[in-house]
Amino acid sequence: MISPAKPDVCQPTGTADLPMLDVYMPMMKSAAIISAGQLGLFEALADGPLAEGVLAERLQSSARGIAMLADFLVAIGYLERHDDAYANTASTQRWFTARGAVDYTPGLLWTAEAWPMMGELAGAVQRGGPQTTLWQAMQARPQLGQAFSAYMGAFARDLGPDLLARVPVRADQRRLLDLGGSHGLHSIRFCERHPQLSAQIVDLPSALTQTPATIAAHGLAGRIALTPGDVLEHDWGQGFDLVFYLSVAHNQNADDNRRVIRRIHDSLNPGGLLVIHEYLDDQPPSAYHAAFKLTLLYETGTQIHRESDYHEWLDEAGFAAVERIDLDPREKGSLLLARR
């Protein structure tokens, strides 16, 4: 779904003589980068360059196979040659190892799980949606949900500093409601930054399996509560000062978002703040936003929404002025801040 900035992005060649390069090269790039993540190749190089034989032995792989994979990763800018050894580029070290600020290796592992879904794209286009939604697939294949949650956790770590920098919290604001908060990382960050805050996370039971351990590891079990339930139906109560609706609205249709935003307004204290994180359907869409829209077509059958849609829902619910903040890079989405 959401990808970090990459050291090399395949652009359409538009080469009339070899049009299949537009299909073949992106396929091979994706396959090679994903395979490196599955094998642990980038992490194996995180401490420094390794010779081909040493790398192959460490990854329990053939030297011939590792040489071919590593040479291709050098060609597309993910590895470097240091004499007879291979090394991560600075960008690879940053994005795909535990030494970086955020390790997006879970995104590679999720993409490997999601890859077969791409074979259903033509059918989804014909039907106007998936035959089986991503959420239904997760029920049948629990490992799919685990891989997706790990990926969303990586993105949350990447998004977290932006939220802390952009979302104001007053000293008298004490209660946070985190709708669709699954991994709990956003609630954890804000409770750690603002000692007066306590948080309540609402998400499906299947999304909260690892959350108690994560919260406990941060010593916040007494300040962050979990209330399993469907955001569309769950009664989460009232009296909140801050509500997060982060990367949830694109999984809901317009009527459901309108209803949830109205309920959020009613649950906020006067002066309370709603924070929405989303990908807005600006026109014309960027290549990334167009790709994300196509992803939603075959994964969930839902869509991203226009900024004007959010203004309509927020105005109907009774919210005051809305502030839009576009994150950098734009592929990280946008924030909408609305006060009651």
Side-chain angles (χ1 to χ4, degrees):
M1 297 175 72
I2 304 161
S3 300
K6 297 183 176 64
D8 178 78
V9 178
C10 182
Q11 299 294 336
T13 64
T15 304
D17 292 338
L18 292 171
M20 278 301 295
L21 286 179
D22 286 344
V23 178
Y24 176 65
M25 289 304 293
M27 177 186 71
M28 292 307 298
K29 286 186 177 186
S30 295
I33 297 163
I34 292 168
S35 296
Q38 291 175 308
L39 292 168
L41 186 151
F42 297 140
E43 190 62 37
L45 296 174
D47 289 331
L50 291 176
E52 171 190 305
V54 176
L55 182 59
E57 183 178 358
R58 187 165 297 183
L59 300 180
Q60 298 182 333
S61 301
S62 71
R64 178 171 181 264
I66 288 297
M68 289 185 177
L69 176 60
D71 284 343
F72 184 62
L73 291 168
V74 169
I76 62 175
Y78 279 75
L79 294 182
E80 299 171 341
R81 286 298 298 261
H82 291 186
D83 297 324
D84 293 330
Y86 295 100
N88 290 328
T89 63
S91 183
T92 296
Q93 187 83 350
R94 162 68 176 82
W95 289 110
F96 293 118
T97 78
R99 309 308 189 276
V102 178
D103 182 4
Y104 263 102
T105 300
L108 301 182
L109 303 182
W110 159 250
T111 304
E113 293 284 353
W115 193 297
M117 298 180 193
M118 290 300 298
E120 292 294 317
L121 179 56
V125 169
Q126 289 180 314
R127 291 186 300 268
Q131 189 169 27
T132 301
T133 69
L134 177 60
W135 320 125
Q136 292 168 331
M138 287 179 180
Q139 290 180 338
R141 298 171 54 203
Q143 73 274 18
L144 200 64
Q146 294 168 5
F148 183 75
S149 295
Y151 180 21
M152 291 301 95
F155 178 68
R157 292 182 182 89
D158 197 13
L159 181 64
D162 294 276
L163 292 174
L164 287 175
R166 301 286 192 166
V167 175
V169 178
R170 300 194 311 265
D172 63 338
Q173 293 180 314
R174 300 187 177 279
R175 296 189 66 202
L176 164 64
L177 175 63
D178 190 353
L179 296 176
S182 62
H183 42 69
L185 296 176
H186 297 310
S187 290
I188 289 169
R189 278 183 185 269
F190 272 76
C191 285
E192 288 179 334
R193 173 66 66 88
H194 304 282
Q196 81 279 12
L197 278 182
S198 63
Q200 178 179 336
I201 300 173
V202 179
D203 211 329
L204 296 172
S206 59
L208 297 173
T209 56
Q210 305 299 317
T211 314
T214 304
I215 292 171
H218 285 80
L220 292 169
R223 290 172 55 198
I224 301 178
L226 304 181
T227 54
D230 187 334
V231 167
L232 297 178
E233 306 297 337
H234 185 73
D235 181 6
W236 56 68
Q238 296 183 327
F240 296 98
D241 300 299
L242 185 63
V243 176
F244 287 165
Y245 195 50
L246 307 177
S247 304
V248 177
H250 63 255
N251 291 320
Q252 319 288 0
N253 62 36
D255 288 339
D256 287 339
N257 279 317
R258 178 181 283 107
R259 182 158 58 92
V260 169
I261 287 174
R262 186 181 300 118
R263 291 180 58 207
I264 291 172
H265 176 272
D266 294 342
S267 70
L268 274 169
N269 291 325
L273 179 67
L274 166 60
V275 182
I276 298 172
H277 170 266
E278 264 307 332
Y279 302 89
L280 302 176
D281 193 9
D282 296 330
Q283 296 298 323
S286 67
Y288 180 83
H289 283 69
F292 187 49
K293 291 168 70 173
L294 197 58
T295 301
L296 291 174
L297 177 74
Y298 75 80
E299 282 191 348
T300 61
T302 55
Q303 65 186 60
I304 59 175
H305 304 279
R306 299 168 299 179
E307 182 181 1
S308 59
D309 294 328
Y310 289 98
H311 281 275
E312 177 183 329
W313 303 332
L314 292 163
D315 183 65
E316 288 178 359
F319 280 93
V322 180
E323 179 185 4
R324 171 175 174 171
I325 301 172
D326 293 325
L327 301 179
D328 183 20
R330 288 293 303 278
E331 287 80 5
K332 290 175 77 170
S334 300
L335 301 178
L336 295 175
L337 308 183
R339 289 199 179 275
R340 176 174 174 178

